[in-house]
């Protein structure tokens, strides 16, 4: 089963979402999901000032 299927089916050990604001007033959200054999992290940075931009990052601690 892929990590996407595991996520949709909520087949993971834990999930945590953290939100914060950096010194540029950008909103940052970090989602960490612990599966049985790896971690998966998704980070989103949303600019609160013009020009409005969104940035996305994703990482896993092992290859599937």
């Amino acid at each position: 089963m892929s990590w996407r299927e595991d996520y949709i089916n909520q087949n993971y050990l834990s999930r945590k979402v953290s939100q914060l604001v950096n010194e540029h007033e950008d909103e940052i959200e970090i989602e960490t999901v612990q599966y049985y054999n790896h971690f998966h992290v998704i980070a989103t940075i949303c600019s609160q000032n013009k020009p409005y931009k969104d940035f996305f990052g994703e990482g896993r601690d092992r290859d599937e």
Side-chain angles (χ1 to χ4, degrees):
M1 196 175 291
S2 74
W3 70 264
R4 285 183 177 91
E5 291 169 340
D6 283 339
Y7 186 84
I8 291 168
N9 296 327
Q10 296 184 351
N11 188 22
Y12 47 79
L13 298 175
S14 67
R15 176 179 174 265
K16 179 181 179 183
V17 177
S18 302
Q19 296 176 324
L20 57 110
V21 176
N22 68 9
E23 66 274 8
H24 305 289
E25 298 182 13
D26 299 330
E27 188 175 299
I28 301 170
E29 182 173 289
I30 302 168
E31 178 180 14
T32 305
V33 182
Q34 180 183 5
Y35 293 98
Y36 294 99
N37 56 357
H38 69 283
F39 285 87
H40 186 208
V41 177
I42 299 171
T44 307
I45 302 173
C46 301
S47 172
Q48 298 300 311
N49 300 314
K50 290 183 180 180
Y52 301 111
K53 296 181 181 180
D54 293 340
F55 300 93
F56 301 93
E58 179 179 10
R60 288 186 291 278
D61 72 339
R62 73 168 194 89
D63 292 331
E64 294 184 38

